[in-house]
Amino acid sequence: MERLNYDEAFIDEFGNVHGVVEGHEDGAVMLNSHVDTVGYGDRDQWDHDPYAATIEDGQLYGLGASDMKCAMASMVYGGAALANLDLEPEHDVYVTGELMEEVSEGHAMKYVVEELDVDWEAVVIGEASEMDVKRGHRGRCELRIDLQGASCHASAPERGINPLYHAAEIIDRIEELNEETNDHDFLGAGTIAATNVEVDTPSNNAVPAGATIYVDRRLTIGEDEATAHAELEDAIAAAREEYGNDVDASVETLTFDRPTWRGYELESKKYYPMWLLEEDHPLVQDTYEVAETVLDSAVEIRKWTFSTSGNYTMGVAEIPTIGFGPSREEWAHAANERVDVEDVVRACDVYAGLGLEL
């Protein structure tokens, strides 16, 4: 970005990278992409080397091609177009490469919003949107239920308290709770699922001393962290109906505190609120008009299926947030991850237009 005539380019203390094109009024607009990726999974499922960035039939294949190096590239060069125009944007335009989104989306944005001295007017997230506009998504919460038992030799299980039996009752109730979540005509229904069980046991020939159930809760309108906790307390109560006061259980929201590559430490809950911008909101309509004008094609206003860092920028910080990006949702986190090269190029123009318009 220094070579592309940005007014400023820097790496913050957390480790995020920013390029700035200065505007003539107070406030700033962020064009946001994350620069980390998931792993490539099973190498045998890839037709191309995930690290080779192979281009075939107009598509670029490789790890992060869809999620989301493509948007980062488009934003960098869209910002460069702004930097080299005679026109000056109204607000400062930040092109931001975010860390650690794949392990805790919004974690890095907590630092950016709380620690950088910037008055954010709007955020544009470049996650895959099929070149449409996306105005929200469900939230999520990662939780654990810790169960305490009493270990003993498995030859005499009556001497102990087996937390696995309590866990089974709780999991049965969680399955039932999945049919009782809220629904929303745009974002869809919330979901709850038990995803893993860990056991603290001295031996396969012993009653366990403890067990932990991990739970994924997807949150729609009217649901939040407290909703998820109440549901899991309900599941624990179902186990107590069967096993009485032998059930010793507690519910906790997981946290994330891994140091960044710069050694910066920040703790945040793994609770990611849902968010939704109304369709008639100026940011939605301005983004729609810029995209449709620049692309000269029909553009839809939709939602994301997955979660993004909008859960922090809009869901927590209440900064108006919108989504537009090249590539497709179904290509993210998949073997043969790819993006249409033409869409990456066309997205540059859209991001430049958004920098001027917003």
Side-chain angles (χ1 to χ4, degrees), residues 6-17:
Y6 278 69
D7 294 304
E8 185 181 6
F10 66 97
I11 296 172
D12 63 33
E13 187 179 356
F14 189 90
N16 305 298
V17 61

Side-chain angles (χ1 to χ4, degrees), residues 64-187:
S66 172
D67 187 16
M68 56 185 294
K69 308 289 189 183
C70 57
M72 188 78 255
S74 296
M75 287 177 174
V76 166
Y77 282 91
L82 280 180
N84 289 281
L85 285 173
D86 291 332
L87 299 172
E88 187 179 36
E90 179 178 357
H91 303 292
D92 291 349
V93 176
Y94 276 67
V95 173
T96 294
E98 172 189 357
L99 299 185
M100 292 179 154
E101 192 275 348
E102 292 292 6
V103 286
S104 187
E105 65 272 24
H107 182 69
M109 287 300 96
K110 179 179 180 180
Y111 170 87
V112 168
V113 172
E114 293 182 359
E115 301 298 332
L116 296 189
D117 186 19
V118 179
D119 181 15
W120 299 107
E121 299 286 336
V123 176
V124 179
I125 293 177
E127 294 274 13
S129 77
E130 299 80 37
M131 303 292 276
D132 287 330
V133 174
K134 298 202 172 180
R135 62 183 180 95
H137 56 68
R138 295 180 303 167
R140 68 185 187 93
C141 191
E142 295 184 31
L143 308 106
R144 59 186 288 165
I145 303 173
D146 289 311
L147 294 152
Q148 300 302 316
S151 186
C152 68
H153 200 287
S155 65
E158 69 279 1
R159 296 173 183 166
I161 298 174
N162 195 327
L164 277 179
Y165 298 153
H166 307 162
E169 198 72 29
I170 289 169
I171 290 169
D172 281 347
R173 179 59 183 144
I174 289 172
E175 184 178 14
E176 294 173 353
L177 286 166
N178 189 54
E179 303 302 319
E180 302 173 16
T181 60
N182 286 2
D183 200 355
H184 185 262
D185 57 359
F186 183 73
L187 290 184

